[in-house]
Amino acid sequence: MYLRKEVGGETQQNQNTNEYFEKGKMQKMQDAFCKANHLYCVCIGRDLTQITEFSGGAEEESYLNTLLTPEMKSELIHSFSDVEGENVIAMPTNSPFFMLRGVAIRGEGYRFMGAWMVLGIDAEQVPEDAYIPRSVMTTTREALDKAIALLEVLTNTYFTNKSQLAILEEDLIAMEKEERRMEYLLQKTEVLTEILKFMESEEPFAQVIDDILSETGKYLGNSNCELLKITPDEETVELVCEWADTEEHLIGERIKGMKQSDFPFMTGRTYTISSDTIVPEPFMEYFAAYGIRCGAFLPININGKTGMYLCITMMDADRKWSVEDIRFINDIKRVVQTILIKRVTKNSLASSYSALESILENTGCGVSVIDLQKATVLYTNDTYKNLSMKPEERATLEELFLKEQDDLAEEFYAEESGKWYELSFSSMEWVDGRQVRLVTIYDVSKTKQYQEKIEHQANTDYLTGLYNRMRLEEDLKEEIHTTVRSGGQSGILVINLDDFDNINDGLGHQAGDILLRNVAESLQRIDGISNCCYRAGGDEFIILIHNSQMDRMDTIIKRIRQIFSTPWQLDEKSYYCTMSMGVVTIPKDGVDPVLLLQRADIALHTAKSLGKNRVEYYNSEQHNSAVERLDLEKCLREAVEKGCKEFEVYYQPLIDVTKPEKPCCGAEALVRWNSPTMGFVMPSQFIPLAEYLGLINEIGRHVLFEACKRCKYWNDFGHPEYKVNVNLSVVQLMRTDIIDTIREALIATQIEPSNLTLEVTEGLAVNDMFRMQQVLREIKNMGIRVALDDFGTGYSSLNHIRSMPIDVIKIDRCFVQDIGDDVFSDAFVKSVSQLAEALDMNICVEGVEEEKQCHALGEMNVDMIQGYLFDKPLCVDDFERKYLF
């Protein structure tokens, strides 16, 4: 009945909407309201699901359902919106005494969550001959309006308080979480503060490190901390300091005299190994020798070379290093590194003037030190003195050194010498304590030349030497401007090689590259277009016909067609490769660069669709066809972006004909697109486009997860033998993450792997046998069954079938049409059945539509049948109603 709760699948969004309501409290409030005001009420969610039960008896509900239609209910709910608008809506009814009102329930951000649907009987408008059960309460229109106003106030107050309580709860949780984080940071800060004090200690290095390791070990709660030193001969390792939580855990005596090669972590890299980390065998042996369960090993550099290792390990207990643990350990490493550097620096002469001068003399850039107050040069190194520039250019440069900070230039060009220099300025304290300006000068002439080379490469296709699409866009804008200004015409030719993939697949990509270079060279030899040929990408070339050459455009097109009428020499053999061309003219077909290229592509697409090896000029009819395809593409992209919710999975039963009753043993999952804009779209219309656009992966993933989830439901509800077949497209199988996607589906749905069958096409198996074998073996290793679909329509050899890990061979419907009447069809099916039996495979025959076909197959050792004789593909509800319950 219309007032009863609707049952059915809900989207995640609808579930979240229903969770917003507290049904018990709302039911009490609703019942009290209806009783006090002689009204009837029910709460409806924005998705038309019923939130509360009808307030009234069965007789009252039955009577009101004669006055309320489903359309009224739907129209009432859809009258509300998420933007500011009415909160109370009066709906017209088919009876003068039947009153229907809606009161909106809104959530955060004024979002419409649902509405109270209030029903009343106006006693003043009831005709004398009208029948109303005695149990039905009546009111007046004036009393109804007052009650509705009260309900609106109650609703706003109730849900506002509810939202505020939810916000307060979230804030409280956040505060508690932040308090715990602050406590941790405070503890970490206290420990680090204590450790940082050791940086200024004058105690011997070993004593300082001992104290640091002790603080570190106690804070982390681990069992061991060591600082190991690599001896100068780089052969052996010495223990500098060690800390352990117990004497039994000390390892200093055990590692004496050990070689550097005995420590697997001494590679110059950092290792943070948790107890659950999979480690190589050398680490496993080292951990086992010392009873280590986890460890962090960090190199410490001395003069740019690894000289020590900080080792933090745990014995007798497992541990997984957290991000904060790793940060803390790295902080300790930096403290030890800093202390070590300070000790080394303190004992060196690096701070002396002579050492400084030696450093500056050997640096790779020119250096000049300027006293700005006295306007004098204090120091210049030999690199600066030897810069290749004229004396007058050097004088100009040094005048620049003395300018104010805001006037300093970052580059200097010595025009006569043809040299570019990059300048850098900074302030520093000189050796005698005064403030000076440090100037560094780098000769960047080669860099500038390299940049020019890069700019050239940015505009040039690396393979053919032609200009690329980026350069085309710049040149096309200029050509349009020139053409419009002069009142002339110019043209664009878009060329695409026909069946270029056959060259790549048959002869290899190297032969394909040779063909592309030969095409480019041939196009450049045509008079009038040598400097206006572009490779747009792949096997597409674009030619810009300048205004001055438009009178020769027909000749140019004819010459291009002649080029492609002769064979190309590839791999010491002759191969034909034709081309299709789309043509637009400027300004006739437009003056916008993007629009012109789009229309040229439309003309090219028309040439392809009309049989290839053609030249087509753009016209509006082509545009309309392209627009339809663009509309389909737009809707397809939007459907995928919305989470593939518009794609519905249908199920065609698989019939087990090995049993007398011929029961259903599962189903093949088939995708259908129920688009709000395009209507119900069949796979043949959108699957090729989805593969071309790269959207098939998301759609295929959606179908795989939905089919696995549904099969798991069947298995749990009385049919553990049911299996589901899911098709994998060529594009999906060529992805490197296909195995991970399948594994995720198994984990997410908990389906028994043997109840999932993945179907691959025969054509794919032939085109990439090695890849197919590798992927299918990994699928089989997960316990999943594999079916070879459309068998007999491609070019598979028996050897291919034998080498592939297949469980099921699906014979295509074309061999079933004349089964029992056609000798070849009978022989083919029997042969395949015998082959399958010898290889321990099952046989499934598709497209069985007549009883006589089924009867003929009964004598051919077939395991399963699929076809309209038993059932067409069904939506999930129809399938389960017929085959599950």
Side-chain angles (χ1 to χ4, degrees):
M1 295 196 300
Y2 309 145
L3 297 179
R4 283 300 178 197
K5 184 174 181 180
E6 297 179 357
V7 179
E10 297 179 338
T11 64
Q12 185 63 44
Q13 179 180 353
N14 295 337
Q15 291 174 353
N16 293 338
T17 300
N18 290 339
E19 290 171 1
Y20 179 76
F21 300 106
E22 295 181 86
K23 297 183 180 179
K25 293 182 180 179
M26 293 178 65
Q27 187 70 50
K28 291 180 180 179
M29 183 170 68
Q30 173 187 303
D31 292 343
F33 169 78
C34 292
K35 184 176 181 181
N37 294 280
H38 291 250
L39 296 170
Y40 299 95
C41 185
V42 67
C43 182
I44 306 296
R46 64 181 291 154
D47 59 338
L48 297 180
T49 58
Q50 190 168 317
I51 308 302
T52 61
E53 299 295 330
F54 174 73
S55 292
E59 184 180 26
E60 297 164 287
E61 181 181 4
S62 176
Y63 173 72
L64 290 173
N65 274 326
T66 63
L67 304 175
L68 177 68
T69 66
E71 291 76 14
M72 291 181 186
K73 170 184 170 183
S74 176
E75 185 178 354
L76 175 64
I77 296 302
H78 291 131
S79 297
F80 294 101
S81 66
D82 286 335
V83 298
E84 291 193 14
E86 293 181 311
N87 281 334
V88 176
I89 292 179
M91 288 294 298
T93 65
N94 297 327
S95 175
F97 58 85
F98 178 50
M99 300 177 292
L100 177 61
R101 300 287 188 273
V103 178
I105 299 173
R106 299 190 181 275
E108 186 177 350
Y110 210 72
R111 184 172 185 270
F112 175 66
M113 307 298 290
W116 301 104
M117 186 170 70
V118 183
L119 307 92
I121 301 297
D122 186 354
E124 297 176 350
Q125 297 294 326
V126 177
E128 294 182 359
D129 57 347
Y131 168 72
I132 299 179
R134 290 185 178 182
S135 60
V136 174
M137 297 182 294
T138 61
T139 184
T140 65
R141 194 170 300 274
E142 181 181 358
L144 172 66
D145 293 338
K146 291 180 180 179
I148 291 296
L150 173 61
L151 181 59
E152 181 181 10
V153 173
L154 290 174
T155 300
N156 290 337
T157 302
Y158 173 79
F159 284 99
T160 299
N161 291 336
K162 185 176 184 297
S163 298
Q164 290 175 347
L165 285 174
I167 293 171
L168 287 174
E169 289 177 359
E170 291 176 1
D171 290 345
L172 181 58
I173 293 171
M175 288 174 63
E176 292 175 349
K177 184 176 180 181
E178 180 64 18
E179 184 177 347
R180 290 193 298 271
R181 191 180 74 85
M182 292 302 295
E183 288 177 357
Y184 172 80
L185 291 177
L186 179 59
Q187 182 186 7
K188 178 181 176 182
T189 302
E190 291 175 351
V191 174
L192 281 176
T193 301
E194 289 299 317
I195 292 176
L196 288 172
K197 291 178 181 179
F198 294 118
M199 294 179 64
E200 304 301 327
S201 175
E202 296 297 329
E203 296 291 332
F205 179 73
Q207 180 60 50
V208 173
I209 299 302
D210 262 336
D211 294 336
I212 291 176
L213 295 185
S214 176
E215 293 289 341
T216 300
K218 292 174 183 177
Y219 171 73
L220 289 174
N222 63 298
S223 60
N224 291 71
C225 297
E226 298 95 28
L227 184 64
L228 305 180
K229 177 184 177 181
I230 301 172
T231 57
D233 60 6
E234 298 185 359
E235 291 291 333
T236 58
V237 174
E238 296 177 353
L239 179 68
V240 178
C241 301
E242 178 181 19
W243 173 90
D245 58 350
T246 63
E247 289 188 8
E248 291 79 6
H249 287 157
L250 293 171
I251 66 170
E253 292 297 324
R254 299 167 61 187
I255 66 173
K256 278 186 177 181
M258 287 181 61
K259 296 181 180 180
Q260 181 181 347
S261 58
D262 295 330
F263 297 89
F265 53 82
M266 288 193 175
T267 62
R269 295 191 292 272
T270 296
Y271 297 91
T272 52
I273 303 172
S274 298
S275 300
D276 59 353
T277 302
I278 299 175
V279 296
E281 186 174 347
F283 277 88
M284 293 178 63
E285 294 175 354
Y286 180 79
F287 278 27
Y290 297 99
I292 297 173
R293 307 289 282 274
C294 69
F297 309 94
L298 298 86
I300 295 177
N301 296 332
I302 304 174
N303 296 327
K305 188 175 182 180
T306 301
M308 295 185 178
Y309 266 88
L310 176 63
C311 307
I312 299 174
T313 55
M314 174 71 78
M315 300 181 183
D316 301 334
D318 291 336
R319 179 166 187 163
K320 184 174 182 180
W321 299 113
S322 67
V323 174
E324 291 299 332
D325 289 339
I326 295 171
R327 288 176 181 169
F328 178 80
I329 293 171
N330 277 286
D331 288 340
I332 299 304
K333 171 201 167 179
R334 283 189 283 270
V335 170
V336 175
Q337 180 94 47
T338 303
I339 293 174
L340 184 61
I341 291 173
K342 288 181 67 176
R343 297 298 174 102
V344 172
T345 303
K346 186 176 181 180
N347 299 319
S348 70
L349 298 176
S351 58
S352 67
Y353 180 81
S354 59
L356 174 61
E357 185 176 21
S358 177
I359 293 171
L360 294 176
E361 288 299 336
N362 289 282
T363 189
C365 63
V367 176
S368 181
V369 179
I370 313 295
D371 185 335
L372 294 178
Q373 290 185 347
K374 296 182 179 180
T376 57
V377 177
L378 299 178
Y379 170 82
T380 56
N381 68 351
D382 287 343
T383 304
Y384 175 79
K385 295 172 184 175
N386 296 328
L387 292 176
S388 300
M389 63 175 67
K390 303 289 184 180
E392 56 272 20
E393 293 172 334
R394 190 180 298 273
T396 303
L397 176 62
E398 291 180 351
E399 288 177 6
L400 174 63
F401 293 169
L402 299 172
K403 289 187 176 183
E404 296 294 329
Q405 185 71 31
D406 294 339
D407 297 328
L408 295 175
E410 295 181 353
E411 285 187 337
F412 177 75
Y413 179 56
E415 187 172 357
E416 292 187 33
S417 305
K419 293 284 187 177
W420 280 95
Y421 298 95
E422 184 178 281
L423 309 178
S424 177
F425 302 88
S426 61
S427 299
M428 63 172 288
E429 186 177 286
W430 191 231
V431 291
D432 57 5
R434 58 177 146 170
Q435 291 295 316
V436 297
R437 172 177 285 170
L438 175 66
V439 185
T440 55
I441 308 100
Y442 294 88
D443 186 341
V444 294
S445 302
K446 291 184 179 179
T447 303
K448 285 287 186 180
Q449 294 170 1
Y450 180 72
Q451 288 175 346
E452 293 177 358
K453 181 180 178 181
I454 291 298
E455 291 177 2
H456 172 74
Q457 291 176 344
N459 290 307
T460 306
D461 174 53
Y462 74 96
L463 179 64
T464 62
L466 299 179
Y467 291 136
N468 58 20
R469 191 177 187 95
M470 184 171 71
R471 177 62 181 270
L472 167 67
E473 293 173 358
E474 296 176 1
D475 292 350
L476 181 55
K477 291 178 183 177
E478 181 63 28
E479 183 63 30
I480 292 172
H481 178 71
T482 302
T483 300
V484 172
R485 185 176 57 188
S486 65
Q489 284 188 329
S490 53
I492 303 174
L493 314 181
V494 178
I495 299 170
N496 186 268
L497 307 188
D498 295 331
D499 301 318
F500 179 69
D501 287 343
N502 292 340
I503 300 292
N504 270 338
D505 296 340
L507 303 179
H509 288 278
Q510 185 176 4
D513 291 346
I514 293 173
L515 175 59
L516 294 175
R517 284 195 290 267
N518 290 344
V519 170
E521 292 171 2
S522 299
L523 293 176
Q524 286 182 299
R525 287 197 292 266
I526 299 176
D527 292 339
I529 64 171
S530 59
N531 292 322
C532 50
C533 297
Y534 308 82
R535 183 185 176 213
D539 58 334
E540 184 171 285
F541 297 85
I542 297 179
I543 297 173
L544 190 58
I545 308 295
H546 293 306
N547 183 24
S548 60
Q549 297 292 326
M550 274 301 286
D551 58 340
R552 298 185 62 252
M553 187 168 77
D554 291 341
T555 302
I556 292 171
I557 293 176
K558 182 178 179 181
R559 180 72 184 96
I560 294 173
R561 300 193 72 168
Q562 290 174 348
I563 290 173
F564 285 91
S565 65
T566 57
W568 303 90
Q569 295 299 315
L570 303 174
D571 198 17
E572 299 182 356
K573 294 181 181 179
S574 297
Y575 293 92
Y576 281 91
C577 180
T578 59
M579 66 86 200
S580 298
M581 181 189 297
V583 183
V584 295
T585 57
I586 308 169
K588 173 179 172 289
D589 295 321
V591 293
D592 178 78
V594 175
L595 181 64
L596 284 167
L597 292 175
Q598 182 187 64
R599 290 180 170 176
D601 283 337
I602 291 173
L604 173 64
H605 179 73
T606 303
K608 291 278 190 182
S609 63
L610 293 175
K612 306 179 183 178
N613 195 21
R614 299 173 60 93
V615 176
E616 287 293 325
Y617 291 79
Y618 170 78
N619 60 59
S620 58
E621 292 181 1
Q622 295 172 353
H623 177 76
N624 293 335
S625 175
V627 168
E628 291 178 4
R629 183 181 181 276
L630 288 174
D631 288 342
L632 184 63
E633 177 180 333
K634 175 177 177 293
C635 292
L636 188 59
R637 290 186 186 276
E638 290 176 351
V640 172
E641 289 173 0
K642 292 176 182 177
C644 297
K645 297 176 183 178
E646 296 176 10
F647 298 100
E648 300 177 1
V649 182
Y650 275 53
Y651 298 91
Q652 186 172 28
L654 294 168
I655 305 302
D656 185 353
V657 295
T658 64
K659 298 178 181 179
E661 63 272 19
K662 294 185 176 63
C664 172
C665 61
E668 179 179 358
L670 302 167
V671 65
R672 302 290 187 265
W673 180 19
N674 193 358
S675 169
T677 304
M678 310 297 294
F680 204 79
V681 187
M682 295 299 289
S684 60
Q685 295 176 264
F686 72 86
I687 290 294
L689 181 59
E691 291 180 333
Y692 174 76
L693 298 175
L695 303 177
I696 193 63
N697 297 304
E698 288 81 358
I699 299 172
R701 177 186 174 87
H702 170 74
V703 174
L704 175 62
F705 274 70
E706 286 296 314
C708 289
K709 180 173 66 175
R710 189 52 55 183
C711 185
K712 180 63 167 64
Y713 174 69
W714 301 338
N715 299 152
D716 291 345
F717 281 83
H719 292 278
E721 78 284 2
Y722 274 15
K723 294 175 171 56
V724 67
N725 289 25
V726 180
N727 291 279
L728 294 182
S729 76
V730 175
V731 179
Q732 287 178 273
L733 279 166
M734 295 306 293
R735 285 180 64 92
T736 57
D737 62 351
I738 182 61
I739 298 300
D740 292 335
T741 299
I742 296 170
R743 187 176 290 109
E744 288 175 19
L746 295 180
I747 295 172
T749 62
Q750 293 296 301
I751 187 178
E752 180 67 31
S754 60
N755 283 346
L756 172 62
T757 302
L758 298 178
E759 297 188 9
V760 299
T761 61
E762 179 186 3
L764 176 63
V766 175
N767 290 337
D768 196 345
M769 178 57 65
F770 178 77
R771 165 71 176 167
M772 177 60 63
Q773 289 174 341
Q774 187 179 33
V775 172
L776 295 187
R777 286 195 187 98
E778 292 190 56
I779 291 174
K780 288 280 291 179
N781 289 339
M782 288 190 280
I784 299 170
R785 290 162 54 84
V786 177
L788 185 62
D789 196 15
D790 300 333
F791 183 74
T793 61
Y795 306 96
S796 294
S797 68
L798 298 181
N799 186 50
H800 286 150
I801 302 304
R802 180 182 180 184
S803 62
M804 292 175 62
I806 297 172
D807 299 287
V808 182
I809 296 177
K810 298 189 72 174
I811 298 178
D812 190 73
R813 64 180 66 244
C814 64
F815 296 99
V816 181
Q817 294 175 354
D818 299 321
I819 196 78
D821 299 325
D822 179 64
V823 175
F824 176 78
S825 297
D826 292 355
F828 179 82
V829 175
K830 289 179 181 178
S831 298
V832 175
S833 299
Q834 293 171 0
L835 171 65
E837 184 176 6
L839 298 178
D840 194 23
M841 300 177 185
N842 294 123
I843 289 293
C844 178
V845 178
E846 300 178 290
V848 176
E849 298 180 357
E850 299 176 6
E851 188 64 44
K852 69 174 184 178
Q853 296 172 337
C854 184
H855 179 72
L857 291 170
E859 302 174 359
M860 297 184 183
N861 199 27
V862 171
D863 300 292
M864 290 171 285
I865 287 180
Q866 183 178 352
Y868 277 28
L869 174 63
F870 296 97
D871 229 327
K872 63 181 181 180
L874 304 170
C875 68
V876 64
D877 290 339
D878 290 344
F879 180 88
E880 292 179 352
R881 189 180 301 112
K882 189 170 182 179
Y883 294 100
L884 188 65
F885 302 112

